[in-house]
């Protein structure tokens, strides 16, 4: 019968979509552009939820959050420089979403996961820097593709889950974000802002993306012509396009781009929006009545939603999708495999910024006492988009676990009554933990400290909080063997620490294995290979104005002419590497139009370690301004110690 056509997996996808669209009433089609698409009982169709956050593990779901394997913040995942481990992270996330999907019958946890955030961290003041993989468009694209491929699985027909990339486009300021315009020319658009989205769609086959709050060149992204003209026509995207929450009313009350909601919702539909996160049905019905939009316009858009749902296997016999074998009774987040992956990803995310005199790694057999100091030493802080980790290991716990009972480990959160200073003076080693609170103590829309930021709040300073800097100074005065661990969502201008502290590490927040992975690095059981994903400048004076979106005005390592505190791609190791025999195939371009570049890399030190080989190119004798250099390839390689 004709009812069976959209449920027939042997038919071409477009024929199945045609059939299903033809069977829906106008009201049902209107309902299909909601965040939760209601059931259609007469066709045997269940409700469908477009709501699961997942930047570094399953985060918010419909009605709260769930227990899930929790990895470092996106900035930390970026600092692994390892797309393969991001693929594994995404695979865990997609699998756990399937477990909950089966457990709750699709009611609480949907299979459309809002990740990755492929926005570009072009300025360290941006409050959502923690959500981005970094400042380089090619790099962010490569890392995003890794996560997308993991989330969506490797079955040739069915998706494990569907990736929703955020936020299209040029969205990296929080202050004024619901009415601001990111303005730049075609070269910025094509060479920078579009790049990671294009890679996510063309290389990762991402099924969905979310439009951002801001405007680009005065046109709000929620009604951007780029959705049709570039994403659909040039990149052949055929999936779901979502607004952000609040974007629809913002078109009238913030941007004053339309005079009423009926016109606004019609503008969204015409632009290609296929899912609204705001109340939309009454304005949409009004727009249809006023002939601002047609039923055919709605049909065109919901096709993308239905293609995605069909690729998830929703309308096929259960036995056809391998993912229907996943049981709702499983609890993989408690399993050793997921714990081990969280630990590995966290190890890889840790960046060694300084290590003078070979202070690190520490030798626990030669230590009697360790002072653990600072406000972030005995907590694991989850950010705005994290779920509930199954357990957490704090840095203090990780250090105690590592050294065992024969080394005395004592803790002071601050230097009240000189508690931290005295502890440092009485100990062989002092380790000071400083950084930011990722949610500013859960207050939406404000942060007490100018050095902190998050969604809806940009930072006003990139220096350490003065109290934290003073704590480092006092501890260092008491014990010259002081190690600083910066646990932060952003780059900091830690100039004094770089000049005066012998060893400095950076890591991101939120991993359930934070303490164990850090202890592995501190005591040499893992040789750090993390690399920075942004240029760490020395001062705000080194940056253009926040709203200058022309990256050629001195932004990112590509156009920054100053002397950074730490450059993009920087990170030390406990061993040394030697490069030699650089060669290219420039005389014989391959069939894909590529030049192959090869280099020999050798571990010249006494410890095994991972190197991140980075290849940069530059344009010679260009008629227009070109980057000082551009990343065009990178690979993490494990190398044994020299013989």
């Amino acid at each position: 019968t004709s009812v069976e056509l959209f449920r027939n997996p042997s038919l071409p996808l477009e024929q199945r979509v045609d059939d299903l669209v033809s069977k829906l009433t106008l009201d049902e089609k209107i309902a299909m552009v909601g965040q939760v698409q209601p059931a259609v009982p007469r066709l045997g169709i269940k409700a469908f939820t477009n709501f699961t956050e997942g930047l570094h593990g399953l985060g918010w779901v419909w009605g709260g959050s769930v227990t899930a394997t929790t990895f470092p913040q996106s900035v930390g995942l970026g600092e692994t420089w390892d797309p393969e481990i991001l693929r594994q992270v995404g695979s865990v996330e997609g699998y756990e979403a399937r477990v909950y999907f089966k457990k709750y019958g699709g009611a609480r946890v949907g299979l459309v996961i809002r990740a990755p955030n492929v926005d570009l961290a072009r300025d360290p003041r941006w409050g959502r820097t923690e959500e981005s993989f970094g400042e380089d468009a090619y790099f962010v694209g490569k890392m995003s593709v890794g996560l997308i491929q993991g989330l969506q699985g490797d079955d040739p027909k069915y998706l494990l889950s569907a990736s929703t990339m955020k936020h299209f486009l040029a969205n990296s300021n929080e202050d004024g974000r619901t009415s601001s315009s990111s303005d730049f020319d075609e070269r910025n658009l094509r060479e920078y802002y579009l790049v990671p989205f294009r890679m996510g769609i063309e290389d990762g086959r991402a099924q969905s993306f979310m439009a951002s709050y801001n405007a680009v060149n005065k046109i709000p992204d929620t009604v951007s012509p780029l959705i049709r003209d570039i994403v659909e026509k040039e990149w052949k995207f055929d999936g779901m396009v979502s607004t952000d929450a609040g974007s629809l009313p913002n078109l009238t009350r913030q941007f004053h781009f339309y005079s009423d909601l009926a016109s606004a919702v019609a503008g969204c539909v015409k632009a290609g929006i296929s899912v609204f996160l705001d109340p939309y049905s009454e304005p949409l019905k009004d727009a249809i009545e006023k002939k601002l939009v047609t039923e055919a316009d709605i049909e065109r858009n919901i096709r993308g939603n239905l293609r995605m749902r069909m690729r998830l296997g929703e309308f096929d016999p259960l036995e056809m999708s391998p993912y229907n074998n996943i049981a709702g009774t499983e609890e993989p987040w408690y399993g050793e495999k997921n714990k081990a992956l969280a630990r590995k990803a966290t190890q890889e995310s840790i960046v060694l910024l300084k290590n003078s005199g070979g202070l690190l790694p520490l030798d626990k057999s030669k230590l009697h006492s360790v002072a653990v100091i600072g406000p972030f030493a005995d907590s694991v802080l989850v950010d705005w988009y994290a779920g509930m980790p199954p357990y957490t290991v704090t840095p203090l716990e990780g250090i105690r676990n590592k050294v065992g009972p024969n080394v005395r480990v004592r803790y002071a959160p601050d230097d009240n009554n000189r508690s931290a200073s005295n502890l440092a003076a009485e100990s062989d080693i002092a380790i000071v933990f400083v950084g930011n609170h990722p949610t500013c103590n859960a207050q939406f829309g404000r942060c007490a400290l100018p050095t902190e930021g998050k969604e809806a709040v940009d930072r006003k300073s990139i220096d350490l909080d003065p109290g934290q800097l003073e704590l480092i100074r006092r501890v260092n005065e008491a014990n010259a063997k002081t190690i600083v661990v910066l646990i932060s969502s952003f780059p900091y201008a830690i100039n004094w620490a770089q000049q005066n502290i012998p060893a400095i590490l950076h890591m991101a927040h939120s991993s359930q294995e934070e303490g164990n992975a850090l202890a592995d690095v501190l005591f040499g059981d893992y040789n750090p290979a993390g690399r920075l994903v942004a240029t760490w400048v020395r001062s705000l004076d080194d940056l253009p104005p926040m709203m200058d979106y022309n990256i050629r005005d001195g932004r990112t390592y590509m156009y920054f002419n100053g002397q950074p505190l730490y450059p993009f791609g920087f990170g030390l190791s406990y061993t040394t590497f030697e490069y030699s025999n650089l060669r290219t195939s420039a005389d014989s371009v391959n069939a894909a139009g590529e030049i192959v570049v090869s280099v020999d890399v050798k571990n010249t030190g006494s410890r095994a370690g991972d190197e991140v080989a980075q290849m940069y190119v530059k344009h010679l004798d260009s008629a227009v301004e070109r980057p000082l250099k551009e990343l065009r390839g990178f690979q993490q390689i494990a190398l044994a110690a020299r013989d």
Side-chain angles (χ1 to χ4, degrees):
T1 65
S2 61
V3 173
E4 295 173 334
L5 291 181
F6 75 87
R7 293 191 179 277
N8 185 345
S10 65
L11 291 177
L13 180 65
E14 293 308 306
Q15 188 177 343
R16 298 177 69 189
V17 173
D18 286 342
D19 180 62
L20 181 48
V21 170
S22 73
K23 288 177 166 59
L24 298 172
T25 67
L26 176 58
D27 283 346
E28 288 165 349
K29 291 167 188 170
I30 290 171
M32 284 280 177
V33 294
Q35 182 169 204
V36 177
Q37 295 157 24
V40 185
R42 65 185 183 82
L43 297 176
I45 296 175
K46 295 180 179 179
F48 184 83
T49 301
N50 279 306
F51 184 81
T52 303
E53 298 288 354
L55 291 182
H56 51 100
L58 293 181
W60 309 343
V61 300
W62 198 257
S65 59
V66 291
T67 301
T69 307
T70 304
F71 301 94
Q73 293 173 301
S74 298
V75 63
L77 290 175
E79 287 177 343
T80 68
W81 282 65
D82 187 354
E84 169 55 25
I85 207 159
L86 263 74
R87 189 194 62 77
Q88 295 174 37
V89 166
S91 182
V92 162
E93 212 176 313
Y95 192 96
E96 292 183 357
R98 280 280 178 176
V99 170
Y100 282 118
F101 185 78
K102 182 67 73 72
K103 180 176 183 177
Y104 296 118
R108 282 194 66 203
V109 180
L111 296 179
V112 183
I113 299 179
R114 293 177 186 167
N117 184 330
V118 302
D119 297 322
L120 294 159
R122 66 184 177 97
D123 192 302
R125 290 168 290 194
W126 180 36
R128 295 180 85 164
T129 297
E130 67 200 37
E131 297 182 35
S132 169
F133 293 135
E135 72 180 19
D136 181 78
Y138 168 83
F139 175 81
V140 170
K142 282 287 188 184
M143 300 300 281
S144 296
V145 168
L147 189 70
I148 292 164
Q149 289 176 337
L151 286 168
Q152 298 193 163
D154 53 14
D155 186 84
K157 184 174 177 66
Y158 294 105
L159 299 169
L160 175 61
S161 64
S163 165
T164 297
M165 299 186 297
K166 304 192 297 186
H167 307 82
F168 187 87
L169 180 75
N171 167 73
S172 53
N173 63 278
E174 295 306 295
D175 295 353
R177 65 181 178 161
T178 57
S179 59
S180 64
S181 182
S182 307
D183 300 339
F184 45 82
D185 62 15
E186 183 84 3
R187 275 190 56 207
N188 274 278
L189 177 71
R190 295 281 184 171
E191 296 175 4
Y192 190 65
Y193 293 109
L194 285 177
V195 169
F197 286 95
R198 176 183 56 75
M199 294 171 71
I201 289 168
E202 292 187 340
D203 301 338
R205 300 187 64 78
Q207 294 294 301
S208 173
F209 65 92
M210 176 185 286
S212 57
Y213 287 120
N214 58 286
V216 165
N217 296 332
K218 309 301 187 287
I219 300 175
D221 280 335
T222 313
V223 291
S224 173
L226 300 175
I227 297 171
R228 295 281 196 220
D229 294 345
I230 292 180
V231 182
E232 289 184 10
K233 290 179 183 174
E234 295 186 21
W235 304 344
K236 310 304 179 189
F237 174 79
D238 67 355
M240 185 187 85
V241 186
S242 165
T243 69
D244 206 338
S247 286
L248 177 59
N250 283 349
L251 290 171
T252 58
R253 69 188 182 195
Q254 295 281 330
F255 285 108
H256 307 293
F257 204 74
Y258 298 97
S259 58
D260 56 74
L261 279 178
S263 302
V265 80
C268 292
V269 170
K270 293 280 192 184
I273 295 294
S274 65
V275 164
F276 290 92
L277 305 195
D278 303 304
Y280 69 92
S281 58
E282 290 309 314
L284 183 51
K285 289 173 184 175
D286 190 20
I288 293 168
E289 207 171 290
K290 292 177 176 175
K291 295 187 169 45
L292 300 174
V293 71
T294 66
E295 186 170 354
D297 292 327
I298 298 167
E299 290 176 354
R300 176 183 179 181
N301 289 13
I302 65 170
R303 293 179 69 88
N305 304 353
L306 296 174
R307 289 185 193 103
M308 180 183 68
R309 291 174 67 169
M310 287 183 179
R311 288 167 179 149
L312 286 164
E314 180 182 351
F315 304 117
D316 291 2
L318 287 176
E319 65 273 11
M320 292 200 67
S321 169
Y323 307 125
N324 287 324
N325 297 326
I326 296 170
T329 54
E330 291 186 47
E331 294 183 320
W333 38 88
Y334 294 122
E336 292 305 314
K337 181 181 175 185
N338 288 14
K339 289 181 183 179
L341 181 63
R343 188 165 182 163
K344 181 73 162 65
T346 311
Q347 289 171 339
E348 289 193 21
S349 74
I350 298 172
V351 185
L352 179 62
L353 295 175
K354 185 179 179 183
N355 190 26
S356 65
L359 178 57
L360 292 174
L362 301 172
D363 184 344
K364 63 185 176 185
S365 69
K366 296 179 180 177
L367 289 177
H368 299 96
S369 55
V370 178
V372 177
I373 292 164
F376 301 108
D378 195 27
S379 59
V380 174
L381 300 175
V382 295
D383 66 16
W384 212 255
Y385 284 96
M388 293 187 294
Y391 64 90
T392 56
V393 181
T394 72
L396 176 61
E397 291 167 342
I399 291 166
R400 282 183 170 150
N401 293 343
K402 182 66 71 177
V403 300
N406 295 328
V407 179
R408 185 173 59 175
V409 178
R410 291 183 292 168
Y411 167 59
D414 52 47
D415 201 32
N416 286 343
N417 300 316
R418 297 196 58 81
S419 55
S421 306
N422 291 338
L423 202 60
E426 296 166 8
S427 303
D428 296 336
I429 292 284
I431 309 173
V432 187
F433 292 84
V434 293
N436 72 296
H437 192 294
T439 66
C440 300
N441 296 296
Q443 297 176 324
F444 192 82
R446 63 182 289 265
C447 292
L449 299 173
T451 60
E452 296 195 334
K454 60 178 180 184
E455 182 173 358
V457 184
D458 286 323
R459 304 163 76 198
K460 307 303 180 285
S461 167
I462 61 170
D463 297 318
L464 269 181
D465 174 62
Q468 292 187 33
L469 182 56
E470 181 61 21
L471 178 65
I472 296 171
R473 289 179 191 268
R474 290 184 181 184
V475 171
N476 187 57
E477 285 173 4
N479 189 330
K481 292 184 177 180
T482 290
I483 300 159
V484 167
V485 180
L486 176 64
I487 307 180
S488 74
S489 309
F490 330 94
Y492 275 84
I494 50 171
N495 300 296
W496 187 90
Q498 172 60 26
Q499 292 166 2
N500 295 278
I501 301 298
I504 306 171
L505 293 157
H506 176 257
M507 67 187 304
H509 287 288
S510 294
S511 170
Q512 64 191 44
E513 283 285 338
E514 183 177 299
N516 284 336
L518 177 65
D520 291 339
V521 169
L522 288 171
F523 291 90
D525 294 321
Y526 181 80
N527 190 345
R531 302 292 184 263
L532 296 181
V533 295
T535 304
W536 287 38
V537 297
R538 297 174 182 273
S539 165
L540 283 182
D541 295 339
D542 291 331
L543 297 171
M546 184 68 179
M547 288 306 298
D548 183 350
Y549 270 80
N550 177 4
I551 65 159
R552 297 193 299 276
D553 288 345
R555 286 210 186 279
T556 78
Y557 75 92
M558 292 191 295
Y559 292 100
F560 179 59
N561 276 305
Q563 185 64 41
L565 179 61
Y566 308 112
F568 174 84
F570 177 78
L572 302 174
S573 170
Y574 296 151
T575 188
T576 52
F577 302 99
E578 180 181 279
Y579 286 72
S580 62
N581 196 21
L582 178 68
R583 54 209 183 274
T584 72
S585 65
D587 295 334
S588 54
V589 178
N590 69 16
E594 298 168 331
I595 295 173
V596 178
V597 179
S598 306
V599 68
D600 297 339
V601 186
K602 180 181 179 182
N603 184 343
T604 56
S606 57
R607 285 179 176 268
D610 294 346
E611 169 67 325
V612 179
Q614 304 169 35
M615 183 186 74
Y616 296 85
V617 301
K618 65 189 303 181
H619 298 259
L620 301 177
D621 305 319
S622 174
V624 296
E625 184 184 7
R626 289 291 182 182
L628 302 169
K629 62 179 182 177
E630 289 179 84
L631 183 71
R632 279 296 174 266
F634 60 93
Q635 186 176 342
Q636 187 191 78
I637 42 178
L639 295 169
R642 69 166 182 240
D643 296 334

